[in-house]
Amino acid sequence: MTQTHDIYTLDTQHYLPVFKRYPLILDHGDGAYLYDRDGRRYLDFLAGIAVNVLGHAYPPLVEAIARQAGRLIHCSNLYYTAEQATAAEKLVKLSGLGKAFFANSGAEANEGAIKLARRHGYRLSPQKSTIISATASFHGRTLATLTATGQPKYREGFGPLPGGFSYVHYGDGDALAAAMDDNTCAVLLETVQGEGGVHVPTRDYLARVRELCDAHGALLILDEIQSGIGRCGHFFAYEHYGIRPDIVTLAKGLGGGVPIGAFCATDSVASAFGPGDHGTTFGGNPLACAAANVVMDTVAAPDFLRHVGDMGDYLRDGLESLRAAYPGRIRDVRGLGLLLGLELDRDGRAIVDACLQEGLIINCTAGNVLRFVPPLIIEREHINTLITTLHRVLAQIA
């Protein structure tokens, strides 16, 4: 077996240094827990950043992947597969939209949505091409999705960037109304902002965005890459708000850990694409779709979604107890379902580091927001451990 120090050395010498890694080499997982090479157990409240929705080594998912790997892992999208057709049917029914397309990641899903929106706008007018997104948003790391991301720090040094994007403050309907005109082809928003600090919109805001898009003949694109797949207590977070987008994008939890992204669009919008207008080599391959079918069947079940809602309420109550215990240190608790954030009065890295030493994996985003996106299978005992550990860590940090 390769020694631990050799793995660190190999990575430092040969892997592009784009991740600020923690000194932890993970070996395997089981349910809500991960284990390192020495067998130490860690309670996982990050889930691969909202990816491992069914936890680790979930037996039906493992069995489906193994069975499909023994039959057909990949074939060209020039041919049909039952796995892809079934996955598309499920996604269309769950979204209430008309057509689905499978990619490999969230960034690719958003790229496809941007292309489709631009082509749809072009059919109405060659000038109808502007896409408005929100400040503090995050939509991916390709050049187009980087430009759509409303955080300048991610774009610095990567110019020239694609044109045709503008930004308004998230949650400000008046600002959006002032920014829109007949050349706006789409508004692109995360239903719940994740990377930007776990920001939840009001019902009135999303309803107004929908009305403004309709008034200007613009599309509403909702990025549910982090908030979808049951994460917020409904299969899609937008179901909380009584609206429906023209395009919705997904990834992260869709394959339960197997890379897959997707976007769904209404039939009228989807008709803007014809053969050759978009494509992918690996997207929607039989292996990924076999995994996605298990995830969708499991997560979309009413009892499963009810569990997510119950655990989200229980976790929020626990986080609120922390805020009551540390009123000067914790500024806010916010989120939806099992996508929750705890805003601190300081940088959160030291708390994340201390929790890791305690056998708890959490994450900090936007500098000072502890983000909790655990596997959707977590139980009260896991949440109790999280809250107890955070109490201990916060008490030790001045």
Side-chain angles (χ1 to χ4, degrees), residues 78 246 328:
L78 294 172
D246 300 292

PDB file of all heavy atoms in Angstrom, residues 78 246 328:
ATOM      1  N   LEU A  78     -25.320   8.716 -30.589  1.00  0.00           N
ATOM      2  CA  LEU A  78     -25.917   8.454 -31.898  1.00  0.00           C
ATOM      3  C   LEU A  78     -26.895   7.283 -31.835  1.00  0.00           C
ATOM      4  O   LEU A  78     -27.627   7.024 -32.793  1.00  0.00           O
ATOM      5  CB  LEU A  78     -24.826   8.153 -32.930  1.00  0.00           C
ATOM      6  CG  LEU A  78     -23.887   9.324 -33.253  1.00  0.00           C
ATOM      7  CD1 LEU A  78     -22.743   8.836 -34.145  1.00  0.00           C
ATOM      8  CD2 LEU A  78     -24.644  10.461 -33.930  1.00  0.00           C
ATOM      9  N   ASP A 246     -38.581  28.153 -17.191  1.00  0.00           N
ATOM     10  CA  ASP A 246     -38.584  27.683 -18.580  1.00  0.00           C
ATOM     11  C   ASP A 246     -37.479  26.654 -18.797  1.00  0.00           C
ATOM     12  O   ASP A 246     -37.615  25.766 -19.630  1.00  0.00           O
ATOM     13  CB  ASP A 246     -38.381  28.875 -19.521  1.00  0.00           C
ATOM     14  CG  ASP A 246     -39.475  29.914 -19.358  1.00  0.00           C
ATOM     15  OD1 ASP A 246     -40.626  29.628 -19.710  1.00  0.00           O
ATOM     16  OD2 ASP A 246     -39.160  31.009 -18.842  1.00  0.00           O
ATOM     17  N   GLY A 328     -22.905  36.649  19.943  1.00  0.00           N
ATOM     18  CA  GLY A 328     -21.960  37.561  19.316  1.00  0.00           C
ATOM     19  C   GLY A 328     -21.171  36.922  18.190  1.00  0.00           C
ATOM     20  O   GLY A 328     -20.679  37.605  17.285  1.00  0.00           O
TER      21      GLY A 328
END
